[in-house]
Amino acid sequence: MSGRAERRERVARAVVDAEVDHGYAQLLGDPDRPQGWTLLLDGTAQSHVDLEDPTHLEFEYVRRLGHVVDLMAPQAMPQRVLHLGGGAWTLARYVATTRPRSPQQVIEVDAALVDLVSSRLPADGLGIDVVVGDARAMLTRAVPGSVDLLVLDVFAGARTPAHLTSTQFLESAAAALAPEGVYAANVADG
């Protein structure tokens, strides 16, 4: 055997392919985490969840959002969270696990994606309310001052849709937030 370290090829332990309303989805089983899954949309990684350990946040941007949650309130203190954009509900699962009884709603525009995630990566018993709809339209229905954390994580390809970047959208976001509420957005760098 040479002095070189043997390299183990990372191969997904399972693959689930599905057409969804806004493209092509794949769920790839994480070879290193028996209950870990990565969601890809049109070949781009969107979410990673570990069904056995929802506190494991694989992607850096989700870890940063998790830090925001942790700075907002002590563990076990429920937070009212509105997630605009769903993916595989990674952050919602984290909040549900670290802050039980947190009322959470996930808004996802892609009904077929919601069906795929709910059937293959169930979040039963976590109290996550998933609603199919447009993020901006649903935000305007939020009760003023009713949200502690508003998370924007919506993409069309590599861009946040323009209707979610306007002054009017941000005014709706501000109206939904409680006085000490926090708005956090995942934005592309490009």
Side-chain angles (χ1 to χ4, degrees):
M1 186 176 221
S2 70
R4 251 188 252 175
E6 199 173 313
R7 291 175 51 181
R8 180 174 68 112
E9 190 172 327
R10 292 179 46 94
V11 177
R13 62 179 159 65
V15 178
V16 176
D17 296 308
E19 290 289 331
V20 293
D21 297 337
H22 296 274
Y24 179 74
Q26 286 185 302
L27 292 173
L28 305 178
D30 186 328
D32 298 325
R33 301 185 75 85
Q35 292 295 313
W37 293 88
T38 300
L39 168 66
L40 285 81
L41 291 176
D42 294 327
T44 302
Q46 301 292 318
S47 301
H48 181 281
V49 297
D50 187 328
L51 299 176
E52 192 171 278
D53 180 8
T55 65
H56 174 76
L57 303 176
E58 184 78 15
F59 294 167
E60 181 183 3
Y61 88 92
V62 181
R63 283 194 301 273
R64 289 178 184 260
L65 290 170
H67 295 316
V68 170
V69 171
D70 293 341
L71 289 170
M72 287 179 60
Q75 284 210 5
M77 177 181 262
Q79 296 293 296
R80 300 168 298 171
V81 185
L82 178 58
H83 305 266
L84 303 179
W89 320 329
T90 306
L91 188 64
R93 294 167 195 266
Y94 176 82
V95 171
T97 301
T98 61
R99 285 146 183 90
R101 298 176 319 283
S102 290
Q104 295 188 83
Q105 189 171 63
V106 174
I107 308 299
E108 172 58 54
V109 72
D110 194 318
L113 179 61
V114 169
D115 289 344
L116 174 67
V117 171
S118 63
S119 67
R120 297 294 183 142
L121 307 175
D124 301 338
L126 293 180
I128 301 168
D129 179 29
V130 181
V131 176
V132 175
D134 176 76
R136 183 169 176 170
M138 299 302 286
L139 178 60
T140 62
R141 297 180 187 167
V143 173
S146 66
V147 177
D148 296 315
L149 174 61
L150 174 59
V151 179
L152 175 67
D153 191 6
V154 177
F155 286 89
R159 294 180 171 265
T160 301
H163 75 293
L164 302 178
T165 62
S166 69
T167 302
Q168 293 82 9
F169 172 79
L170 292 174
E171 288 170 350
S172 294
L177 288 171
E180 300 296 318
V182 174
Y183 171 71
N186 178 18
V187 294
D189 181 12

